[in-house]
Amino acid sequence: MTRFDEVKAAFWGEGLYGVQPPLTDAAVLDAELRLGVRLPASLLELLRIRNGGAVAALWNAFPTDVPTSWSESHVPVDDLMGIGRHDGCLSLLDSTYLIEEWGLPSPLVLLSGDGHWWIALDYRTCGAQGEPSVTWFDAEVPAELPLAEDFRTFVECLTAAHSLDAVDGGRSSS
């Protein structure tokens, strides 16, 4: 089993907040047209299991080599937005509005965040049809930090935030 498959098998956490209706091929095509990009196959694999929501505690942090406004050792990945318009929850489809609202560069597709920070698919280098990298954006500072060369690598590097607590000395906000 590859690392991606290992994470994928236990990726989703408990609860239904942020979960969109089951992902269909039509919804993917509509999202790609609205967003103007091709979404990574590995992201769609996760969203076909569950279309957004909480990430399991085993995979809720991405380790970093440099401190961020969040912690000394990682950025949070508490949830992953799905594709849809259910119960007023944010989804990938809200990226254009949120990018403008928070003064972020474009083209991006926002995956997770709270407004003060975002994790996004970054299409600035690869173009709309390419394989985007994953980047952390801190809207408050402002700052950005490349996290992974692609979404699959991003997922394969995820770990439990509690495993990084010793590095942070208990200072992380997670």
Side-chain angles (χ1 to χ4, degrees):
M1 178 180 290
T2 68
R3 172 80 172 152
F4 180 81
D5 290 333
E6 176 189 342
V7 176
K8 182 175 82 168
F11 183 78
W12 296 107
E14 300 295 320
L16 296 177
Y17 183 78
V19 178
Q20 301 291 334
L23 191 60
T24 64
D25 291 342
V28 171
L29 288 174
D30 179 63
E32 290 180 332
L33 282 172
R34 289 175 187 249
L35 296 167
V37 299
R38 183 183 54 80
L39 295 169
S42 51
L43 171 63
L44 297 175
E45 279 186 59
L46 286 175
L47 296 180
R48 288 187 192 287
I49 295 169
R50 189 168 90 183
N51 192 5
V55 173
L58 281 173
W59 315 114
N60 66 354
F62 186 93
T64 60
D65 293 333
V66 298
T68 67
S69 60
W70 182 262
S71 86
E72 294 292 315
S73 65
H74 68 281
V75 296
V77 188
D78 294 327
D79 57 58
L80 181 69
M81 290 192 274
I83 297 171
R85 297 268 182 226
H86 183 64
D87 288 343
C89 293
L90 289 178
S91 91
L92 299 181
L93 300 177
D94 295 305
S95 291
T96 303
Y97 163 75
L98 293 168
I99 288 164
E100 185 176 314
E101 176 77 16
W102 289 97
L104 299 171
S106 187
L108 304 175
V109 173
L110 303 180
L111 298 171
S112 185
D114 69 0
H116 303 283
W117 60 266
W118 297 99
I119 296 172
L121 297 173
D122 190 345
Y123 288 87
R124 292 178 292 175
T125 301
C126 69
Q129 297 304 309
E131 188 69 26
S133 59
V134 179
T135 305
W136 157 272
F137 293 90
D138 188 325
E140 297 287 317
V141 175
E144 62 184 74
L145 175 65
L147 299 176
E149 63 187 35
D150 57 49
F151 184 77
R152 184 181 185 99
T153 303
F154 172 77
V155 169
E156 290 175 341
C157 291
L158 293 175
T159 190
H162 67 81
S163 71
L164 301 169
D165 286 345
V167 174
D168 281 350
R171 291 187 309 227
S172 79
S173 302
S174 55

